[in-house]
Each structure stands twice: as C-alpha cells, then as structure tokens.
Amino acid sequence: HGGFSYGPNAGEAVNFACHDWIQYGADANERYRSFARPAVFSHDRLTLTLANHLEDQTTYRSCKLLLNELRRVVSEEIELR
C-alpha cells in the first residue's frame, strides 16, 4: 500500500491476506530483519492472534501452516532468551 498527497485529505484502506500469506509473511519479516528495518506490523503478534481465533481457521491446510509458523515463533523466542 502506498500513496502520495498534495495536501489535506482523508483516506481509508483495508489490508487482508489468505492463509497462504503465513510463509510469505515470515519470509518478509526475516528480510526486514536482515536489513535492520522495523517491520510495518508484528508478524509474530498476527500469528498469535490467528492462533487465538483458531475456530475461524476452516481448512486443514491453513491450520497446518499456522501450526508450523507457531512452532517457529516459539522456538525462536526460546532460543533468543
């Protein structure tokens, strides 16, 4: 998402992603880290939020992708402590 403004304005945006985004989000997060840039939003927090709303995950594939990402997040957290 991006934009340019010549003056005062009002805008609204909606960002969304399908279950396939989980791996792409993890990759983008690592890329930001490698450049020492802060991410626009916390991928880890979004992953944990999805896990807290597990009943909304309707397919085996999305649950499996989420489980793999949760394992990665928890493993990294434990390793960095």
Side-chain angles (χ1 to χ4, degrees):
H1 178 105
F4 183 79
S5 174
Y6 282 108
N9 63 26
E12 185 174 325
V14 175
N15 297 314
F16 66 92
C18 300
H19 63 272
D20 292 352
W21 71 267
I22 294 172
Q23 186 59 51
Y24 295 115
D27 293 343
N29 199 43
E30 290 304 313
R31 202 166 302 120
Y32 272 108
R33 235 189 249 178
S34 72
F35 294 129
R37 283 187 64 193
V40 176
F41 64 90
S42 172
H43 174 75
D44 295 351
R45 183 172 180 175
L46 188 55
T47 301
L48 293 172
T49 299
L50 281 172
N52 283 329
H53 296 277
L54 195 57
E55 66 277 357
D56 296 334
Q57 303 303 316
T58 58
T59 67
Y60 172 78
R61 184 166 186 253
S62 63
C63 288
K64 185 170 177 153
L65 289 168
L66 181 57
L67 178 60
N68 289 339
E69 186 59 16
L70 281 169
R71 285 181 175 151
R72 186 199 65 77
V73 168
V74 169
S75 174
E76 181 180 272
E77 178 67 26
I78 290 169
E79 182 181 312
L80 294 174
R81 284 185 179 196

